[in-house]
């Protein structure tokens, strides 16, 4: 979306935009490059437009394309469409297609392996041997692979039904229909895994373990408008923000609304709320409240919520809050001991399979790829102060060694969350991509003025 919006901004100007992306098509990324029919967008289609001034753009695209085709379940009981995620990936692909056709954007289907400074520019090399010299580089790699807890990875190494990364296509195919499955982590990835398992006929017991025993909530029925003002005189501490949220939920309840409406207001006002908090308070918020925020803010599509709710009612899905004290392989069986959060009771459990769904390891982003690690060593990239991604200034320019924004290196997307706050759902990611594209266009305009004046001098 940065590339497409930049191409839009630069119409008529001689700019080459390269997107390095090993996937076959641009636009899908980790979230939407999935053929699994159980994977649905978790935000109603009506809220997933790529054009902020045309909020119905995705819905109109769906109707032009005759989508969702062969998917009667896409229309949920709440009256909203939740198409398969692959469909949304095609929509993004269609958005960028004209710029690929006009050759304003080039898709290099290779993996970047080095990014080095050369004078004031960047030399980018790929695993396919391509080399590009760029005036400006944008890091938009977002989701590193999940990182299984070390003790679990060591104990279950070599077990045929230990799945450390459920996002690898076909990863779930090793699970037998009646296997007892331990799912470690209980956010949206766990919801995807459970829905996928049940869709493919898995009928065994599933235990979803997380520290607090929370699970991603569903949407309000019927849908509600956001409620609450957190931007006038914004809170300066995590505690006062928490009190304000509780108060707003109480007031919303008096007006017949649920917490959903307040969390939707928090999400849309998230940037302003975040910026008003000093770093120590942002850390406090992440340390103490993030699990609760994640469970209420990242909601599952109603179709997936129904699968999990039915399983909980039947008793074949269990949500367990506690700490994993021990895990081991005993022949083909996986044994686990869990200390329950609220009672402290230790429970011994046995499983046939274990799936890690703790989500992408954003905190370890710099160690996730050698070229990111090299940029950190050379002082061009740093982890942000809160541990959510990469440090950048409020123009989304990467912070250099002196803590100053580098106007040749930008961070786009969720990795910029440490500065911008809530930046994970598509609407915010898209707004941020538009913002970064504008910043890059302004930088390019300054650069071309500078080069023109240097030439004439
Ligand atoms: C499983 C999942 C489901 C989601 N579902 C929803 C949803 O339904 N609704 C919603 O609003 N939000 C959803 N989200 C949020 C999602 O994060 C954003 O919507 C958005 O997809 C983030 O896009 P991105 O381009 O920043 O990152 P990504 O999609 O992670 O794209 C980064 C790309 O960088 C590429 N890359 C990485 N390293 C290199 C390299 N060295 N060289 C070249 N290319 C590289 C990767 O191949 C990848 O395609 C979901 C997120 C996940 C993880």
């Amino acid at each position: 979306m940065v590339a497409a919006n930049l191409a839009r901004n630069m119409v008529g100007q001689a700019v080459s935009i390269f997107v390095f992306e090993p996937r076959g098509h641009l636009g899908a990324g980790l979230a939407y490059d999935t053929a699994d029919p159980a994977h649905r967008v978790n935000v109603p289609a009506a809220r997933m437009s790529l054009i902020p001034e045309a909020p119905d753009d995705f819905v109109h695209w769906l109707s032009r394309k005759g989508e969702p085709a062969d998917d009667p379940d896409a229309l949920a009981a709440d009256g909203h469409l939740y198409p398969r995620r692959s469909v949304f990936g095609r929509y993004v692909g269609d958005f960028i297609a004209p710029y690929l056709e006009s050759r304003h954007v080039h898709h290099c289907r290779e993996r970047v392996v080095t990014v080095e400074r050369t004078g004031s520019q960047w030399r980018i090399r790929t695993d396919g041997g391509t080399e590009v010299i760029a005036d400006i580089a944008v890091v938009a790699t977002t989701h590193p692979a999940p990182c299984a807890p070390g003790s679990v990875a060591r104990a279950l190494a070599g077990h045929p039904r230990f799945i450390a990364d459920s996002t690898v296509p076909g990863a779930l195919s090793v699970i037998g229909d009646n296997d007892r499955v331990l799912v470690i982590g209980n956010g949206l990835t766990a919801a995807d895994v459970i829905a996928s398992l049940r869709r493919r006929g898995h009928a065994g017991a599933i235990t979803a373990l997380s520290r607090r025993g929370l699970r991603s909530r569903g949407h309000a029925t019927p849908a509600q408008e956001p409620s609450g003002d957190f931007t006038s005189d914004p809170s300066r501490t995590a505690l006062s923000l928490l009190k304000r949220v509780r108060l707003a939920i109480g007031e919303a309840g008096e007006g017949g609304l649920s917490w959903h409406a307040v969390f939707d207001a928090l999400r849309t006002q998230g940037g302003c709320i975040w910026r008003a908090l000093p770093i120590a308070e942002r850390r406090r918020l992440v340390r103490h409240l993030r699990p609760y925020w994640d469970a209420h803010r990242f909601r599952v599509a109603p179709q997936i919520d129904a699968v999990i709710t039915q399983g909980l009612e039947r008793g074949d899905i269990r949500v367990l809050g506690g700490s994993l004290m021990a895990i081991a392989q005993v022949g083909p069986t996986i044994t686990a001991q869990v200390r329950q959060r609220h009672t402290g009771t230790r429970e011994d459990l046995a499983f046939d399979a274990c799936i890690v769904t703790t989500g992408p390891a954003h905190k370890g982003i710099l160690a996730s790829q050698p070229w990111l690690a090299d940029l950190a060593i050379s002082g061009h990239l740093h982890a942000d102060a809160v541990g959510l991604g990469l440090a950048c200034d409020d123009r989304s320019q990467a912070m250099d060694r002196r803590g100053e924004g580098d106007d040749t290196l930008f961070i786009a997307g969720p990795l910029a969350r440490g500065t911008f706050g809530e930046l994970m759902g598509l609407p915010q990611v898209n707004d941020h991509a538009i913002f970064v594209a504008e910043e890059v266009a302004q930088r390019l305009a300054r650069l071309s003025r500078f080069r023109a004046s240097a030439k004439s001098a």
Side-chain angles (χ1 to χ4, degrees), residues 110 125-131:
E110 292 165 12
R125 290 203 186 92
T126 69
D127 56 358
T130 302
E131 183 175 307

Side-chain angles (χ1 to χ4, degrees), residues 235-253:
S235 302
R236 308 281 163 192
T237 67
L239 188 61
S240 72
L241 177 62
L242 177 64
K243 286 181 180 161
R244 200 162 161 174
V245 171
R246 286 196 168 131
L247 200 67
I249 291 174
E251 284 168 5

Side-chain angles (χ1 to χ4, degrees), residues 6 45 47 66 100 108 150-151 185 208-209 218 220 224 235 262 310 327 329 341 378-379 426 435:
L6 184 58
R47 297 218 316 257
L100 289 167
C108 180
S151 56
L209 173 69
Q224 304 170 8
S235 302
V262 176
Q310 283 162 16
I327 189 158
Q329 302 185 41
R341 180 176 172 81
S378 56
L426 190 276
F435 167 76

Side-chain angles (χ1 to χ4, degrees), residues 31 53 55 57 68 94 121 135 148 166 203-204 253 285 359 377 383 423-424 442:
E53 57 278 15
D57 191 60
D94 270 12
Q121 297 175 307
D135 292 306
S166 65
L285 197 71
I377 290 165
L423 181 49
M424 183 57 86
Q442 282 177 27

Side-chain angles (χ1 to χ4, degrees), residues 97-110:
Y99 307 105
L100 289 167
E101 278 155 27
S102 65
R103 305 196 60 76
H104 286 98
V105 176
H106 308 272
H107 177 190
C108 180
R109 276 190 64 184
E110 292 165 12

Side-chain angles (χ1 to χ4, degrees), residues 416-436:
R417 281 182 299 167
T419 301
F420 293 92
E422 171 55 24
L423 181 49
M424 183 57 86
L426 190 276
Q428 284 73 38
V429 172
N430 187 50
D431 288 350
H432 188 253
I434 293 169
F435 167 76
V436 171

